[in-house]
Amino acid sequence: MGSYKISVIGTGYVGLCTAVGFSSKGYKVLAYDKDIQKMDSINEGIPPFFEPSLKELLQKVVKDNSLKCVPDLNEAVMNTDITYITVGTPSKSDGSINLQFVNQAAKEIGAILKKKQDHLVVIKSTVVPGTTEHMVKPLLEKHSDKRCGTELLLCVNPEFLREGSAISDTLNPDRIIIGEHDERSGNVLEELYKEFYHVNMPPIIRTTLSSAELIKYANNAFLATKISFINSIANICEKVPGVDVRTIADGVGLDKRIGRAFLNAGLGYGGSCFPKDVKALIAFSKSVGCDPVLIKAVENVNANQPYKAIELAKETLGNLKGKKFAILGLAFKPNTDDIRESVAIKIIDKLLEEEAKISAYDPAAMESTKRHYTNRINYASSAIDCIKGAECCIVTTEWDEFKQLKPENFKHMKTPILIDGRRIYEIKEYNNRLKFLPLGLGR
Ligand code: UGA
């Protein structure tokens, strides 16, 4: 049984995985969300989104009574020692982040802390540098009538979990970053993690509030840079006979200073994090008088990358009007049902503009896609069903299920043009079979 009681405010990806992570190790966790339906569903052991192993773990911790959603923020904060703020920070139209939910949480938690001493508030939401120092701290102090560092404790603790492996990332992080308002605040959070990870305690960096906030953005921007970098190289590879970007990435990736991870060329990055965080870092850079030349280039490369698939299709099919497309993959990456900023959606939108006909399939994201497109596209019941009769198939997500497909599985296409947008197929297997035209990005 953990010696700290924890509350988590906001039950999105980060909040729910944090809550389940702590409660799975015996900590008493109270979660709160403004969305009552979401809380009811969590209390019934049903996660509001698909994430491998989350459901099993959630059902266990709900049954054990170690995780409970409570409808009253006061109850969550007053009955715990540490409160994590994990509310959303969506993009505004200019790319900067909307801090209204963090602002509101800080005010409400501050007012509750009027009646409570030495409570630690931890910002886990992704916020631009200075937010905790200049917005959260003054709000907490004003509404609680207490000073941070003496009667109140405050830290920033960014989260690095990936969708699709969120639970294992929560339980085995590469490092822990603690931005501390003062030493005592940092000590309490470090103690909690030492107890939680015990012999598996990852490396820890303790720093200022703003440094911790910037580490999160720098981390995501660097990973996005690796992706846009390798996609730029892929685009060069396409113009040079006999060159394949996968081999280039393997060669470069063996340099220990670089590493092979995040050098998979393809249709670009999507999801709820990289696109939003890269935009927010650009907007933040500008706001402090720095021209973010490199980060803007990363974003530009990524904005064009999905349309490489359409260019390839046009090169072989000409006008796309009335042509039948099979889209394999709708989620922004495998093992999730999340279609936010998914490249598949960008490609489908463009194909619809060109008046092409679309059949789509994804092992997990059919429901969210149906809500998005209603009857504007066709929904297949399987990968094979999706491919049947198509004139061109575009693989947009590297699900294992699609990796299992063999050239024979594509034999019921009208014209066997396969655009491997995630480079999951071995070209040798496809060449000379069924008059296949396999087109891989970066080859
Ligand atoms: C990302 C980071 O990896 C996490 O560390 C971070 O905590 C999270 O954002 C966040 O800020 O919340 P996530 O968006 O879940 O996690 O997924 P990634 O695995 O990073 O993939 C993002 C996108 O990049 C996907 O569309 C993926 O297909 C693409 N990608 C990834 C590539 O195109 N090539 C690669 O080599 C790797």
Side-chain angles (χ1 to χ4, degrees), residues 13-14 51 126 158-166 169 175 216 219-220 223-224 226-228 230-231 260-277 302 331-334 336 338 340-343 396-398 421-422:
Y13 248 97
V14 171
E51 178 65 38
T126 300
E159 179 55 60
F160 300 97
L161 63 80
R162 294 160 297 173
E163 289 186 24
S165 52
D169 287 351
R175 70 330 205 162
K216 168 71 189 189
N219 206 93
N220 272 359
L223 292 171
K226 280 188 98 174
I227 300 170
S228 279
I230 201 66
N231 283 336
R260 180 63 176 79
F262 279 72
L263 287 181
N264 294 321
L267 295 166
Y269 60 77
S272 65
C273 304
F274 288 171
K276 171 171 91 82
D277 291 354
N302 197 63
F332 83 95
K333 63 184 273 188
T336 174
D338 194 345
R340 285 176 289 177
E341 298 280 330
S342 164
V343 297
T396 45
T397 318
E398 64 276 35
R422 295 294 179 187

Side-chain angles (χ1 to χ4, degrees), residues 187-259:
N187 286 346
V188 172
L189 196 54
E190 181 169 353
E191 269 312 305
L192 167 69
Y193 284 127
K194 276 189 173 150
E195 186 185 82
F196 182 83
Y197 291 109
H198 195 52
V199 288
N200 297 319
M201 179 71 184
I204 181 163
I205 287 186
R206 287 178 59 170
T207 180
T208 62
L209 297 172
S210 296
S211 296
E213 289 165 335
L214 188 52
I215 286 170
K216 168 71 189 189
Y217 279 102
N219 206 93
N220 272 359
F222 187 75
L223 292 171
T225 303
K226 280 188 98 174
I227 300 170
S228 279
F229 175 82
I230 201 66
N231 283 336
S232 301
I233 298 291
N235 296 341
I236 298 172
C237 290
E238 282 172 25
K239 309 284 179 208
V240 185
V243 173
D244 184 342
V245 71
R246 269 210 316 212
T247 318
I248 308 298
D250 290 343
V252 170
L254 282 171
D255 186 324
K256 289 195 183 67
R257 295 167 301 175
I258 298 174

